[in-house]
Amino acid sequence: MEIHAGNGYLPDQFLQDNSNHRTDEYGGSVENRARFLLEVTQAAIDVWGKERVGVRLSPSSTFNDMHDSNPTATFNYVAQELDRLGIGYLHVVEPRIKGNVTVEDDGKGLGAKFFRPLFGGAIITAGGYTRDTGEEALQNNTADFVAYGRLFVANPDLPKRFALNAELNKYNRNTFYTSGEEGYIDYPSLGDA
Ligand SMILES: Cc1cc2nc3c(=O)[nH]c(=O)nc-3n(C[C@H](O)[C@H](O)[C@H](O)COP(=O)(O)O)c2cc1C
């Protein structure tokens, strides 16, 4: 059960101080801004068990106009508290991603690497990975798992293609958010042709 606390979704709006202007115990200090996410996470743990709960964060994404004045302090606290709750995994969207587009990365943002020393559970990294850079992220211990978005949308058999180092279908951005079959279930698997 993944709690989505990135990309400007509700828990993220509590976490980051450009959107959280509350003056009660859910706003102000880092501890207060993280309270909502941590309570939601605890509630999920109470139902499903800590090992079945994960949290997704995008600390450096400006998607949905998100911004924090001190992301290092904010996410340092969040990571340590999630570690304390013992959740199964942390899913981190790398700074080079804004929503579903790859953007300029100045190397100063917070990605999976930042969380490694702070969080003892499994870490998933996401954003702009290819077969080779994903493999590299595993080899250099940036993360335990690599998530793929756009490549998976266009390649229903992505793991198989990676295993075979086969050519990939190219994704069509125009059909990312449509409702019919096109761009959803019609990308061919290997061998379909
Ligand atoms: C069609 C589409 C829909 C997406 N929807 C969401 C979403 O609802 N929530 C979210 O956090 N990310 C969403 N994403 C972003 C992906 O989760 C992922 O972080 C992003 O695409 C970067 O990974 P990639 O480079 O492997 O595609 C979406 C991406 C695509 C292509």
PDB file of all heavy atoms in Angstrom, residues 3 5 11 14-15 26 30-46 53 55 57 74 76-87 90:
ATOM      1  N   ILE A   3       1.549   5.107   0.033  1.00  0.00           N
ATOM      2  CA  ILE A   3       0.983   6.408   0.358  1.00  0.00           C
ATOM      3  C   ILE A   3       1.705   7.428  -0.499  1.00  0.00           C
ATOM      4  O   ILE A   3       2.931   7.558  -0.441  1.00  0.00           O
ATOM      5  CB  ILE A   3       1.180   6.739   1.854  1.00  0.00           C
ATOM      6  CG1 ILE A   3       0.405   5.728   2.702  1.00  0.00           C
ATOM      7  CG2 ILE A   3       0.735   8.171   2.159  1.00  0.00           C
ATOM      8  CD1 ILE A   3       0.821   5.733   4.158  1.00  0.00           C
ATOM      9  N   ALA A   5       2.991  10.696  -1.168  1.00  0.00           N
ATOM     10  CA  ALA A   5       3.294  11.951  -0.476  1.00  0.00           C
ATOM     11  C   ALA A   5       4.228  12.817  -1.316  1.00  0.00           C
ATOM     12  O   ALA A   5       5.018  13.597  -0.787  1.00  0.00           O
ATOM     13  CB  ALA A   5       3.907  11.648   0.887  1.00  0.00           C
ATOM     14  N   PRO A  11      -0.567  14.861   1.184  1.00  0.00           N
ATOM     15  CA  PRO A  11       0.480  14.825   2.236  1.00  0.00           C
ATOM     16  C   PRO A  11       1.652  15.753   1.915  1.00  0.00           C
ATOM     17  O   PRO A  11       2.235  16.351   2.828  1.00  0.00           O
ATOM     18  CB  PRO A  11       0.935  13.357   2.230  1.00  0.00           C
ATOM     19  CG  PRO A  11      -0.206  12.604   1.636  1.00  0.00           C
ATOM     20  CD  PRO A  11      -0.805  13.523   0.612  1.00  0.00           C
ATOM     21  N   PHE A  14       1.013  19.277   2.904  1.00  0.00           N
ATOM     22  CA  PHE A  14       1.251  19.505   4.331  1.00  0.00           C
ATOM     23  C   PHE A  14       2.747  19.652   4.599  1.00  0.00           C
ATOM     24  O   PHE A  14       3.163  20.492   5.396  1.00  0.00           O
ATOM     25  CB  PHE A  14       0.693  18.340   5.167  1.00  0.00           C
ATOM     26  CG  PHE A  14      -0.762  18.489   5.510  1.00  0.00           C
ATOM     27  CD1 PHE A  14      -1.745  18.080   4.628  1.00  0.00           C
ATOM     28  CD2 PHE A  14      -1.152  19.028   6.726  1.00  0.00           C
ATOM     29  CE1 PHE A  14      -3.088  18.211   4.936  1.00  0.00           C
ATOM     30  CE2 PHE A  14      -2.491  19.158   7.052  1.00  0.00           C
ATOM     31  CZ  PHE A  14      -3.462  18.754   6.153  1.00  0.00           C
ATOM     32  N   LEU A  15       3.549  18.794   3.924  1.00  0.00           N
ATOM     33  CA  LEU A  15       4.985  18.756   4.208  1.00  0.00           C
ATOM     34  C   LEU A  15       5.712  20.044   3.853  1.00  0.00           C
ATOM     35  O   LEU A  15       6.549  20.528   4.609  1.00  0.00           O
ATOM     36  CB  LEU A  15       5.647  17.627   3.392  1.00  0.00           C
ATOM     37  CG  LEU A  15       5.491  16.198   3.878  1.00  0.00           C
ATOM     38  CD1 LEU A  15       6.238  15.259   2.923  1.00  0.00           C
ATOM     39  CD2 LEU A  15       6.035  16.072   5.284  1.00  0.00           C
ATOM     40  N   TYR A  26      -0.628  21.213  12.677  1.00  0.00           N
ATOM     41  CA  TYR A  26      -0.265  20.612  11.390  1.00  0.00           C
ATOM     42  C   TYR A  26       0.503  21.587  10.499  1.00  0.00           C
ATOM     43  O   TYR A  26       0.724  21.320   9.326  1.00  0.00           O
ATOM     44  CB  TYR A  26      -1.517  20.096  10.661  1.00  0.00           C
ATOM     45  CG  TYR A  26      -2.126  18.895  11.355  1.00  0.00           C
ATOM     46  CD1 TYR A  26      -3.100  19.048  12.343  1.00  0.00           C
ATOM     47  CD2 TYR A  26      -1.700  17.599  11.031  1.00  0.00           C
ATOM     48  CE1 TYR A  26      -3.638  17.946  12.993  1.00  0.00           C
ATOM     49  CE2 TYR A  26      -2.233  16.493  11.673  1.00  0.00           C
ATOM     50  CZ  TYR A  26      -3.202  16.675  12.651  1.00  0.00           C
ATOM     51  OH  TYR A  26      -3.728  15.580  13.290  1.00  0.00           O
ATOM     52  N   VAL A  30       8.797  21.745  11.151  1.00  0.00           N
ATOM     53  CA  VAL A  30       8.906  20.515  10.361  1.00  0.00           C
ATOM     54  C   VAL A  30       8.088  19.405  11.019  1.00  0.00           C
ATOM     55  O   VAL A  30       7.375  18.653  10.342  1.00  0.00           O
ATOM     56  CB  VAL A  30      10.390  20.080  10.253  1.00  0.00           C
ATOM     57  CG1 VAL A  30      10.514  18.770   9.497  1.00  0.00           C
ATOM     58  CG2 VAL A  30      11.219  21.149   9.587  1.00  0.00           C
ATOM     59  N   GLU A  31       8.200  19.303  12.325  1.00  0.00           N
ATOM     60  CA  GLU A  31       7.469  18.265  13.053  1.00  0.00           C
ATOM     61  C   GLU A  31       5.964  18.396  12.824  1.00  0.00           C
ATOM     62  O   GLU A  31       5.273  17.403  12.628  1.00  0.00           O
ATOM     63  CB  GLU A  31       7.760  18.366  14.570  1.00  0.00           C
ATOM     64  CG  GLU A  31       9.174  18.008  14.977  1.00  0.00           C
ATOM     65  CD  GLU A  31      10.187  19.126  14.726  1.00  0.00           C
ATOM     66  OE1 GLU A  31       9.777  20.227  14.278  1.00  0.00           O
ATOM     67  OE2 GLU A  31      11.387  18.902  14.957  1.00  0.00           O
ATOM     68  N   ASN A  32       5.479  19.622  12.834  1.00  0.00           N
ATOM     69  CA  ASN A  32       4.045  19.836  12.609  1.00  0.00           C
ATOM     70  C   ASN A  32       3.647  19.548  11.161  1.00  0.00           C
ATOM     71  O   ASN A  32       2.616  18.938  10.905  1.00  0.00           O
ATOM     72  CB  ASN A  32       3.672  21.280  12.956  1.00  0.00           C
ATOM     73  CG  ASN A  32       3.565  21.484  14.455  1.00  0.00           C
ATOM     74  OD1 ASN A  32       3.734  20.545  15.233  1.00  0.00           O
ATOM     75  ND2 ASN A  32       3.290  22.717  14.854  1.00  0.00           N
ATOM     76  N   ARG A  33       4.471  19.972  10.226  1.00  0.00           N
ATOM     77  CA  ARG A  33       4.120  19.766   8.809  1.00  0.00           C
ATOM     78  C   ARG A  33       4.157  18.288   8.433  1.00  0.00           C
ATOM     79  O   ARG A  33       3.438  17.840   7.551  1.00  0.00           O
ATOM     80  CB  ARG A  33       5.059  20.583   7.912  1.00  0.00           C
ATOM     81  CG  ARG A  33       4.708  22.076   7.907  1.00  0.00           C
ATOM     82  CD  ARG A  33       5.600  22.867   6.984  1.00  0.00           C
ATOM     83  NE  ARG A  33       6.878  23.170   7.592  1.00  0.00           N
ATOM     84  CZ  ARG A  33       8.062  22.832   7.081  1.00  0.00           C
ATOM     85  NH1 ARG A  33       8.125  22.188   5.942  1.00  0.00           N
ATOM     86  NH2 ARG A  33       9.176  23.158   7.701  1.00  0.00           N
ATOM     87  N   ALA A  34       5.012  17.519   9.112  1.00  0.00           N
ATOM     88  CA  ALA A  34       5.112  16.081   8.812  1.00  0.00           C
ATOM     89  C   ALA A  34       4.038  15.268   9.531  1.00  0.00           C
ATOM     90  O   ALA A  34       3.830  14.100   9.220  1.00  0.00           O
ATOM     91  CB  ALA A  34       6.496  15.575   9.216  1.00  0.00           C
ATOM     92  N   ARG A  35       3.340  15.900  10.463  1.00  0.00           N
ATOM     93  CA  ARG A  35       2.392  15.168  11.307  1.00  0.00           C
ATOM     94  C   ARG A  35       1.322  14.439  10.495  1.00  0.00           C
ATOM     95  O   ARG A  35       1.005  13.279  10.747  1.00  0.00           O
ATOM     96  CB  ARG A  35       1.734  16.132  12.314  1.00  0.00           C
ATOM     97  CG  ARG A  35       0.986  15.445  13.439  1.00  0.00           C
ATOM     98  CD  ARG A  35       0.363  16.455  14.413  1.00  0.00           C
ATOM     99  NE  ARG A  35       1.291  17.468  14.893  1.00  0.00           N
ATOM    100  CZ  ARG A  35       2.199  17.277  15.854  1.00  0.00           C
ATOM    101  NH1 ARG A  35       2.277  16.087  16.434  1.00  0.00           N
ATOM    102  NH2 ARG A  35       2.997  18.250  16.237  1.00  0.00           N
ATOM    103  N   PHE A  36       0.772  15.127   9.483  1.00  0.00           N
ATOM    104  CA  PHE A  36      -0.308  14.523   8.692  1.00  0.00           C
ATOM    105  C   PHE A  36       0.183  13.241   8.020  1.00  0.00           C
ATOM    106  O   PHE A  36      -0.441  12.182   8.132  1.00  0.00           O
ATOM    107  CB  PHE A  36      -0.836  15.529   7.651  1.00  0.00           C
ATOM    108  CG  PHE A  36      -1.934  14.974   6.785  1.00  0.00           C
ATOM    109  CD1 PHE A  36      -3.223  14.821   7.280  1.00  0.00           C
ATOM    110  CD2 PHE A  36      -1.671  14.592   5.476  1.00  0.00           C
ATOM    111  CE1 PHE A  36      -4.237  14.296   6.481  1.00  0.00           C
ATOM    112  CE2 PHE A  36      -2.674  14.069   4.671  1.00  0.00           C
ATOM    113  CZ  PHE A  36      -3.964  13.920   5.182  1.00  0.00           C
ATOM    114  N   LEU A  37       1.310  13.327   7.333  1.00  0.00           N
ATOM    115  CA  LEU A  37       1.851  12.143   6.651  1.00  0.00           C
ATOM    116  C   LEU A  37       2.135  11.010   7.644  1.00  0.00           C
ATOM    117  O   LEU A  37       1.795   9.848   7.395  1.00  0.00           O
ATOM    118  CB  LEU A  37       3.139  12.495   5.886  1.00  0.00           C
ATOM    119  CG  LEU A  37       3.906  11.282   5.342  1.00  0.00           C
ATOM    120  CD1 LEU A  37       3.069  10.498   4.334  1.00  0.00           C
ATOM    121  CD2 LEU A  37       5.231  11.717   4.714  1.00  0.00           C
ATOM    122  N   LEU A  38       2.714  11.362   8.760  1.00  0.00           N
ATOM    123  CA  LEU A  38       3.080  10.325   9.727  1.00  0.00           C
ATOM    124  C   LEU A  38       1.842   9.688  10.362  1.00  0.00           C
ATOM    125  O   LEU A  38       1.817   8.484  10.613  1.00  0.00           O
ATOM    126  CB  LEU A  38       4.026  10.905  10.789  1.00  0.00           C
ATOM    127  CG  LEU A  38       5.375  11.389  10.209  1.00  0.00           C
ATOM    128  CD1 LEU A  38       6.200  12.094  11.275  1.00  0.00           C
ATOM    129  CD2 LEU A  38       6.163  10.238   9.584  1.00  0.00           C
ATOM    130  N   GLU A  39       0.810  10.486  10.560  1.00  0.00           N
ATOM    131  CA  GLU A  39      -0.436   9.913  11.105  1.00  0.00           C
ATOM    132  C   GLU A  39      -1.118   9.012  10.079  1.00  0.00           C
ATOM    133  O   GLU A  39      -1.642   7.949  10.422  1.00  0.00           O
ATOM    134  CB  GLU A  39      -1.383  11.043  11.549  1.00  0.00           C
ATOM    135  CG  GLU A  39      -0.922  11.704  12.849  1.00  0.00           C
ATOM    136  CD  GLU A  39      -1.888  12.770  13.371  1.00  0.00           C
ATOM    137  OE1 GLU A  39      -2.887  13.095  12.679  1.00  0.00           O
ATOM    138  OE2 GLU A  39      -1.636  13.283  14.478  1.00  0.00           O
ATOM    139  N   VAL A  40      -1.112   9.458   8.832  1.00  0.00           N
ATOM    140  CA  VAL A  40      -1.699   8.632   7.768  1.00  0.00           C
ATOM    141  C   VAL A  40      -0.923   7.314   7.656  1.00  0.00           C
ATOM    142  O   VAL A  40      -1.503   6.225   7.539  1.00  0.00           O
ATOM    143  CB  VAL A  40      -1.681   9.390   6.416  1.00  0.00           C
ATOM    144  CG1 VAL A  40      -1.986   8.447   5.252  1.00  0.00           C
ATOM    145  CG2 VAL A  40      -2.676  10.543   6.438  1.00  0.00           C
ATOM    146  N   THR A  41       0.394   7.427   7.714  1.00  0.00           N
ATOM    147  CA  THR A  41       1.236   6.230   7.598  1.00  0.00           C
ATOM    148  C   THR A  41       0.964   5.281   8.764  1.00  0.00           C
ATOM    149  O   THR A  41       0.814   4.070   8.575  1.00  0.00           O
ATOM    150  CB  THR A  41       2.726   6.632   7.563  1.00  0.00           C
ATOM    151  OG1 THR A  41       2.923   7.566   6.502  1.00  0.00           O
ATOM    152  CG2 THR A  41       3.614   5.422   7.329  1.00  0.00           C
ATOM    153  N   GLN A  42       0.872   5.837   9.955  1.00  0.00           N
ATOM    154  CA  GLN A  42       0.588   4.994  11.132  1.00  0.00           C
ATOM    155  C   GLN A  42      -0.773   4.318  10.995  1.00  0.00           C
ATOM    156  O   GLN A  42      -0.921   3.134  11.320  1.00  0.00           O
ATOM    157  CB  GLN A  42       0.653   5.837  12.415  1.00  0.00           C
ATOM    158  CG  GLN A  42       0.477   5.010  13.683  1.00  0.00           C
ATOM    159  CD  GLN A  42       1.536   3.916  13.825  1.00  0.00           C
ATOM    160  OE1 GLN A  42       2.728   4.203  13.851  1.00  0.00           O
ATOM    161  NE2 GLN A  42       1.113   2.643  13.886  1.00  0.00           N
ATOM    162  N   ALA A  43      -1.758   5.061  10.479  1.00  0.00           N
ATOM    163  CA  ALA A  43      -3.097   4.488  10.300  1.00  0.00           C
ATOM    164  C   ALA A  43      -3.053   3.332   9.305  1.00  0.00           C
ATOM    165  O   ALA A  43      -3.706   2.294   9.495  1.00  0.00           O
ATOM    166  CB  ALA A  43      -4.070   5.575   9.826  1.00  0.00           C
ATOM    167  N   ALA A  44      -2.261   3.486   8.249  1.00  0.00           N
ATOM    168  CA  ALA A  44      -2.130   2.411   7.247  1.00  0.00           C
ATOM    169  C   ALA A  44      -1.420   1.206   7.863  1.00  0.00           C
ATOM    170  O   ALA A  44      -1.811   0.058   7.633  1.00  0.00           O
ATOM    171  CB  ALA A  44      -1.363   2.918   6.032  1.00  0.00           C
ATOM    172  N   ILE A  45      -0.403   1.484   8.643  1.00  0.00           N
ATOM    173  CA  ILE A  45       0.337   0.403   9.311  1.00  0.00           C
ATOM    174  C   ILE A  45      -0.598  -0.381  10.237  1.00  0.00           C
ATOM    175  O   ILE A  45      -0.546  -1.614  10.284  1.00  0.00           O
ATOM    176  CB  ILE A  45       1.529   0.986  10.109  1.00  0.00           C
ATOM    177  CG1 ILE A  45       2.614   1.481   9.157  1.00  0.00           C
ATOM    178  CG2 ILE A  45       2.090  -0.041  11.095  1.00  0.00           C
ATOM    179  CD1 ILE A  45       3.743   2.250   9.850  1.00  0.00           C
ATOM    180  N   ASP A  46      -1.475   0.341  10.935  1.00  0.00           N
ATOM    181  CA  ASP A  46      -2.395  -0.316  11.864  1.00  0.00           C
ATOM    182  C   ASP A  46      -3.292  -1.313  11.140  1.00  0.00           C
ATOM    183  O   ASP A  46      -3.720  -2.312  11.709  1.00  0.00           O
ATOM    184  CB  ASP A  46      -3.266   0.727  12.579  1.00  0.00           C
ATOM    185  CG  ASP A  46      -2.448   1.591  13.541  1.00  0.00           C
ATOM    186  OD1 ASP A  46      -1.306   1.214  13.854  1.00  0.00           O
ATOM    187  OD2 ASP A  46      -2.958   2.661  13.948  1.00  0.00           O
ATOM    188  N   VAL A  53       3.507  -1.353   3.911  1.00  0.00           N
ATOM    189  CA  VAL A  53       3.243   0.064   3.642  1.00  0.00           C
ATOM    190  C   VAL A  53       4.500   0.750   3.113  1.00  0.00           C
ATOM    191  O   VAL A  53       5.596   0.549   3.637  1.00  0.00           O
ATOM    192  CB  VAL A  53       2.748   0.769   4.931  1.00  0.00           C
ATOM    193  CG1 VAL A  53       2.596   2.269   4.702  1.00  0.00           C
ATOM    194  CG2 VAL A  53       1.429   0.163   5.395  1.00  0.00           C
ATOM    195  N   VAL A  55       5.948   4.661   1.194  1.00  0.00           N
ATOM    196  CA  VAL A  55       5.632   6.081   1.008  1.00  0.00           C
ATOM    197  C   VAL A  55       6.408   6.611  -0.187  1.00  0.00           C
ATOM    198  O   VAL A  55       7.591   6.311  -0.362  1.00  0.00           O
ATOM    199  CB  VAL A  55       5.997   6.902   2.273  1.00  0.00           C
ATOM    200  CG1 VAL A  55       5.917   8.402   1.997  1.00  0.00           C
ATOM    201  CG2 VAL A  55       5.065   6.535   3.434  1.00  0.00           C
ATOM    202  N   LEU A  57       7.821   9.932  -2.169  1.00  0.00           N
ATOM    203  CA  LEU A  57       8.182  11.340  -1.981  1.00  0.00           C
ATOM    204  C   LEU A  57       8.824  11.890  -3.250  1.00  0.00           C
ATOM    205  O   LEU A  57       9.486  11.150  -3.984  1.00  0.00           O
ATOM    206  CB  LEU A  57       9.209  11.469  -0.846  1.00  0.00           C
ATOM    207  CG  LEU A  57       8.823  10.993   0.554  1.00  0.00           C
ATOM    208  CD1 LEU A  57      10.048  10.991   1.463  1.00  0.00           C
ATOM    209  CD2 LEU A  57       7.735  11.885   1.142  1.00  0.00           C
ATOM    210  N   THR A  74      13.507  19.416   6.070  1.00  0.00           N
ATOM    211  CA  THR A  74      12.174  18.806   6.028  1.00  0.00           C
ATOM    212  C   THR A  74      12.265  17.306   5.763  1.00  0.00           C
ATOM    213  O   THR A  74      11.700  16.481   6.489  1.00  0.00           O
ATOM    214  CB  THR A  74      11.307  19.480   4.940  1.00  0.00           C
ATOM    215  OG1 THR A  74      11.154  20.860   5.285  1.00  0.00           O
ATOM    216  CG2 THR A  74       9.938  18.832   4.827  1.00  0.00           C
ATOM    217  N   ASN A  76      14.892  15.327   5.774  1.00  0.00           N
ATOM    218  CA  ASN A  76      15.720  14.617   6.736  1.00  0.00           C
ATOM    219  C   ASN A  76      14.829  14.101   7.882  1.00  0.00           C
ATOM    220  O   ASN A  76      14.897  12.935   8.267  1.00  0.00           O
ATOM    221  CB  ASN A  76      16.775  15.590   7.277  1.00  0.00           C
ATOM    222  CG  ASN A  76      17.851  14.897   8.071  1.00  0.00           C
ATOM    223  OD1 ASN A  76      18.673  14.190   7.500  1.00  0.00           O
ATOM    224  ND2 ASN A  76      17.834  15.075   9.368  1.00  0.00           N
ATOM    225  N   TYR A  77      13.986  14.983   8.357  1.00  0.00           N
ATOM    226  CA  TYR A  77      13.081  14.611   9.451  1.00  0.00           C
ATOM    227  C   TYR A  77      12.084  13.537   9.001  1.00  0.00           C
ATOM    228  O   TYR A  77      11.875  12.531   9.686  1.00  0.00           O
ATOM    229  CB  TYR A  77      12.346  15.857   9.959  1.00  0.00           C
ATOM    230  CG  TYR A  77      11.338  15.543  11.035  1.00  0.00           C
ATOM    231  CD1 TYR A  77      11.757  15.278  12.335  1.00  0.00           C
ATOM    232  CD2 TYR A  77       9.976  15.492  10.752  1.00  0.00           C
ATOM    233  CE1 TYR A  77      10.832  14.964  13.328  1.00  0.00           C
ATOM    234  CE2 TYR A  77       9.055  15.187  11.734  1.00  0.00           C
ATOM    235  CZ  TYR A  77       9.474  14.924  13.014  1.00  0.00           C
ATOM    236  OH  TYR A  77       8.563  14.605  13.998  1.00  0.00           O
ATOM    237  N   VAL A  78      11.495  13.765   7.831  1.00  0.00           N
ATOM    238  CA  VAL A  78      10.504  12.817   7.312  1.00  0.00           C
ATOM    239  C   VAL A  78      11.129  11.420   7.167  1.00  0.00           C
ATOM    240  O   VAL A  78      10.540  10.407   7.581  1.00  0.00           O
ATOM    241  CB  VAL A  78       9.957  13.311   5.951  1.00  0.00           C
ATOM    242  CG1 VAL A  78       9.142  12.226   5.259  1.00  0.00           C
ATOM    243  CG2 VAL A  78       9.111  14.565   6.147  1.00  0.00           C
ATOM    244  N   ALA A  79      12.332  11.372   6.604  1.00  0.00           N
ATOM    245  CA  ALA A  79      12.990  10.081   6.374  1.00  0.00           C
ATOM    246  C   ALA A  79      13.245   9.361   7.692  1.00  0.00           C
ATOM    247  O   ALA A  79      12.998   8.159   7.819  1.00  0.00           O
ATOM    248  CB  ALA A  79      14.307  10.299   5.641  1.00  0.00           C
ATOM    249  N   GLN A  80      13.699  10.102   8.668  1.00  0.00           N
ATOM    250  CA  GLN A  80      14.021   9.463   9.946  1.00  0.00           C
ATOM    251  C   GLN A  80      12.770   8.988  10.672  1.00  0.00           C
ATOM    252  O   GLN A  80      12.770   7.940  11.317  1.00  0.00           O
ATOM    253  CB  GLN A  80      14.820  10.427  10.825  1.00  0.00           C
ATOM    254  CG  GLN A  80      16.177  10.699  10.184  1.00  0.00           C
ATOM    255  CD  GLN A  80      17.124  11.446  11.104  1.00  0.00           C
ATOM    256  OE1 GLN A  80      17.318  11.054  12.238  1.00  0.00           O
ATOM    257  NE2 GLN A  80      17.710  12.516  10.603  1.00  0.00           N
ATOM    258  N   GLU A  81      11.705   9.749  10.548  1.00  0.00           N
ATOM    259  CA  GLU A  81      10.456   9.343  11.207  1.00  0.00           C
ATOM    260  C   GLU A  81       9.831   8.135  10.499  1.00  0.00           C
ATOM    261  O   GLU A  81       9.295   7.237  11.147  1.00  0.00           O
ATOM    262  CB  GLU A  81       9.465  10.518  11.238  1.00  0.00           C
ATOM    263  CG  GLU A  81       9.867  11.608  12.224  1.00  0.00           C
ATOM    264  CD  GLU A  81      10.047  11.085  13.648  1.00  0.00           C
ATOM    265  OE1 GLU A  81       9.079  10.564  14.224  1.00  0.00           O
ATOM    266  OE2 GLU A  81      11.167  11.177  14.177  1.00  0.00           O
ATOM    267  N   LEU A  82       9.925   8.115   9.171  1.00  0.00           N
ATOM    268  CA  LEU A  82       9.397   6.953   8.445  1.00  0.00           C
ATOM    269  C   LEU A  82      10.243   5.727   8.768  1.00  0.00           C
ATOM    270  O   LEU A  82       9.734   4.610   8.863  1.00  0.00           O
ATOM    271  CB  LEU A  82       9.374   7.229   6.936  1.00  0.00           C
ATOM    272  CG  LEU A  82       8.351   8.279   6.489  1.00  0.00           C
ATOM    273  CD1 LEU A  82       8.507   8.563   4.996  1.00  0.00           C
ATOM    274  CD2 LEU A  82       6.914   7.819   6.791  1.00  0.00           C
ATOM    275  N   ASP A  83      11.522   5.937   8.952  1.00  0.00           N
ATOM    276  CA  ASP A  83      12.413   4.847   9.342  1.00  0.00           C
ATOM    277  C   ASP A  83      12.000   4.307  10.713  1.00  0.00           C
ATOM    278  O   ASP A  83      11.936   3.098  10.937  1.00  0.00           O
ATOM    279  CB  ASP A  83      13.856   5.366   9.375  1.00  0.00           C
ATOM    280  CG  ASP A  83      14.841   4.263   9.715  1.00  0.00           C
ATOM    281  OD1 ASP A  83      14.915   3.297   8.930  1.00  0.00           O
ATOM    282  OD2 ASP A  83      15.501   4.353  10.754  1.00  0.00           O
ATOM    283  N   ARG A  84      11.694   5.227  11.590  1.00  0.00           N
ATOM    284  CA  ARG A  84      11.282   4.843  12.934  1.00  0.00           C
ATOM    285  C   ARG A  84       9.980   4.024  12.903  1.00  0.00           C
ATOM    286  O   ARG A  84       9.806   3.080  13.669  1.00  0.00           O
ATOM    287  CB  ARG A  84      11.088   6.114  13.783  1.00  0.00           C
ATOM    288  CG  ARG A  84      11.161   5.913  15.272  1.00  0.00           C
ATOM    289  CD  ARG A  84      11.064   7.244  16.015  1.00  0.00           C
ATOM    290  NE  ARG A  84       9.935   8.075  15.596  1.00  0.00           N
ATOM    291  CZ  ARG A  84       8.673   7.837  15.916  1.00  0.00           C
ATOM    292  NH1 ARG A  84       8.356   6.821  16.671  1.00  0.00           N
ATOM    293  NH2 ARG A  84       7.709   8.634  15.481  1.00  0.00           N
ATOM    294  N   LEU A  85       9.061   4.389  11.976  1.00  0.00           N
ATOM    295  CA  LEU A  85       7.806   3.638  11.857  1.00  0.00           C
ATOM    296  C   LEU A  85       8.044   2.261  11.240  1.00  0.00           C
ATOM    297  O   LEU A  85       7.194   1.384  11.319  1.00  0.00           O
ATOM    298  CB  LEU A  85       6.793   4.427  11.020  1.00  0.00           C
ATOM    299  CG  LEU A  85       6.229   5.708  11.649  1.00  0.00           C
ATOM    300  CD1 LEU A  85       5.248   6.387  10.692  1.00  0.00           C
ATOM    301  CD2 LEU A  85       5.531   5.410  12.970  1.00  0.00           C
ATOM    302  N   GLY A  86       9.189   2.103  10.589  1.00  0.00           N
ATOM    303  CA  GLY A  86       9.559   0.780  10.057  1.00  0.00           C
ATOM    304  C   GLY A  86       8.805   0.351   8.815  1.00  0.00           C
ATOM    305  O   GLY A  86       8.610  -0.846   8.583  1.00  0.00           O
ATOM    306  N   ILE A  87       8.397   1.313   8.009  1.00  0.00           N
ATOM    307  CA  ILE A  87       7.661   0.949   6.787  1.00  0.00           C
ATOM    308  C   ILE A  87       8.539   0.127   5.844  1.00  0.00           C
ATOM    309  O   ILE A  87       9.765   0.164   5.918  1.00  0.00           O
ATOM    310  CB  ILE A  87       7.124   2.186   6.035  1.00  0.00           C
ATOM    311  CG1 ILE A  87       8.254   3.179   5.714  1.00  0.00           C
ATOM    312  CG2 ILE A  87       6.006   2.846   6.834  1.00  0.00           C
ATOM    313  CD1 ILE A  87       7.846   4.269   4.739  1.00  0.00           C
ATOM    314  N   LEU A  90      10.622   3.117   0.925  1.00  0.00           N
ATOM    315  CA  LEU A  90      10.501   4.535   0.582  1.00  0.00           C
ATOM    316  C   LEU A  90      10.710   4.629  -0.926  1.00  0.00           C
ATOM    317  O   LEU A  90      11.640   4.031  -1.461  1.00  0.00           O
ATOM    318  CB  LEU A  90      11.591   5.312   1.319  1.00  0.00           C
ATOM    319  CG  LEU A  90      11.492   6.821   1.368  1.00  0.00           C
ATOM    320  CD1 LEU A  90      10.183   7.248   2.028  1.00  0.00           C
ATOM    321  CD2 LEU A  90      12.665   7.382   2.184  1.00  0.00           C
TER     322      LEU A  90
END
